[in-house]
């Protein structure tokens, strides 16, 4: 867990943990805030973090949605080298976030990650079984806003150059139709690898009140 600060030191720590090129880092990071944040301030903090990361990324997509359905282990659709920054708004709905280190599982099997995921589709129980030894549960806070940064890449490795991705899934044990569980999502990619989101779209992401 990292205490959020929009400065170079905190950004370097996040980048080292998330944009890993070796398996001595987890491939994800949880960031908590020293004080409560509203929805727009949370989204502003997400952009602030991206702006100070030591490696330049471009915003490839933006999203804001209310999710109370459990998911399977997956990577969000994106270019092969990509990161996710997820901003979770304070909610009464309890959830769990599990990370499967797919890159570590593939390395243990001596199979390139894209081929490993193609062979062992984690959306099905037989495929998911190949990742279970490499699963970590993120210790999510309750009743406050927080950020999670995730390496969403799908590249072979480890070779010391490629970012090594993980898979993630959410578990909602008790959905609450009377409440909302809002997640703000930013997909990042390396410059020149995908269409770039405009500054106007980024500004609207921070200021909007509607959901996708």
């Amino acid at each position: 867990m990292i205490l959020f600060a929009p400065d170079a030191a905190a950004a370097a720590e996040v980048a080292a943990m998330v944009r890993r090129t070796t398996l001595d880092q987890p491939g994800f990071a949880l960031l908590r805030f020293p004080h409560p944040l509203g929805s727009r301030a949370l989204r502003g903090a997400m952009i602030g973090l991206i702006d100070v990361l030591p490696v330049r990324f471009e915003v490839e997509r933006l999203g804001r949605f209310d999710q109370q359905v459990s998911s399977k282990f997956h990577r969000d659709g994106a270019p092969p080298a990509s990161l996710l920054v997820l901003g979770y708004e304070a909610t009464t709905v309890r959830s769990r976030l599990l990370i499967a280190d797919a890159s570590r599982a593939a390395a243990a099997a001596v199979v390139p990650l894209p081929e490993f995921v193609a062979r062992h589709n984690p959306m099905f129980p037989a495929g998911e079984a190949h990742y279970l030894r490499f699963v970590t549960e993120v210790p999510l806070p309750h009743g406050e806003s927080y950020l999670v940064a995730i390496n969403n890449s799908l590249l072979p490795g480890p070779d010391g150059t490629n970012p090594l991705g993980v898979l993630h899934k959410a578990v909602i044990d008790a959905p609450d139709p009377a409440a909302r569980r809002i997640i703000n999502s930013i997909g990042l990619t390396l410059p020149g690898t995908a269409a770039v989101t405009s500054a106007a779209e980024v500004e609207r992401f921070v200021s909007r009140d509607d959901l996708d």
Side-chain angles (χ1 to χ4, degrees), residues 127-141:
E128 184 184 56
H130 291 269
Y131 303 86
L132 295 182
R133 287 196 299 126
F134 307 94
V135 171
T136 299
E137 181 163 356
V138 183
L140 299 180

Side-chain angles (χ1 to χ4, degrees), residues 3-207:
L3 187 65
F4 177 85
D7 58 33
E13 187 176 0
V14 172
M17 293 177 66
V18 179
R19 193 190 178 276
R20 60 177 186 171
T21 57
T22 60
L23 293 172
D24 59 346
Q25 295 291 339
F28 66 92
L30 167 67
L31 294 87
R32 297 180 69 179
F33 298 96
H35 49 74
L37 283 186
S39 175
R40 292 187 180 184
L42 174 66
R43 284 172 270 157
M46 295 169 72
I47 299 299
L49 172 65
I50 295 164
D51 287 343
V52 295
L53 286 174
V55 179
R56 182 177 164 233
F57 290 98
E58 292 180 340
V59 175
E60 182 254 334
R61 60 204 154 80
L62 301 161
R64 185 167 188 261
F65 49 91
D66 182 356
Q67 180 186 334
Q68 293 196 51
V69 177
S70 296
S71 62
K72 302 288 189 179
F73 281 118
H74 68 285
R75 70 179 289 268
D76 284 12
S82 57
L83 301 185
L84 291 176
V85 178
L86 303 175
Y88 294 81
E89 299 186 12
T91 178
T92 57
V93 180
R94 290 188 175 272
S95 63
R96 300 166 60 205
L97 177 63
L98 304 175
I99 302 290
D101 195 336
S103 292
R104 191 178 296 275
V110 197
V111 177
L113 179 59
E115 182 180 340
F116 186 86
V117 173
R119 284 186 193 178
H120 308 298
N121 187 337
M123 301 296 287
F124 300 98
E128 184 184 56
H130 291 269
Y131 303 86
L132 295 182
R133 287 196 299 126
F134 307 94
V135 171
T136 299
E137 181 163 356
V138 183
L140 299 180
H142 180 63
E144 65 183 71
S145 298
Y146 57 90
L147 302 182
V148 179
I150 297 174
N151 191 323
N152 190 55
S153 301
L154 185 67
L155 291 171
D159 64 357
T161 59
N162 284 337
L164 304 177
V166 300
L167 307 177
H168 63 284
K169 78 171 181 179
V171 178
I172 316 297
D173 291 319
D176 182 357
R180 298 206 300 180
R181 176 178 174 268
I182 296 178
I183 305 170
N184 302 280
S185 174
I186 301 179
L188 302 175
T189 189
L190 297 174
T193 59
V196 178
T197 302
S198 69
E201 290 173 298
V202 173
E203 182 177 350
R204 182 177 183 277
F205 169 76
V206 174
S207 63

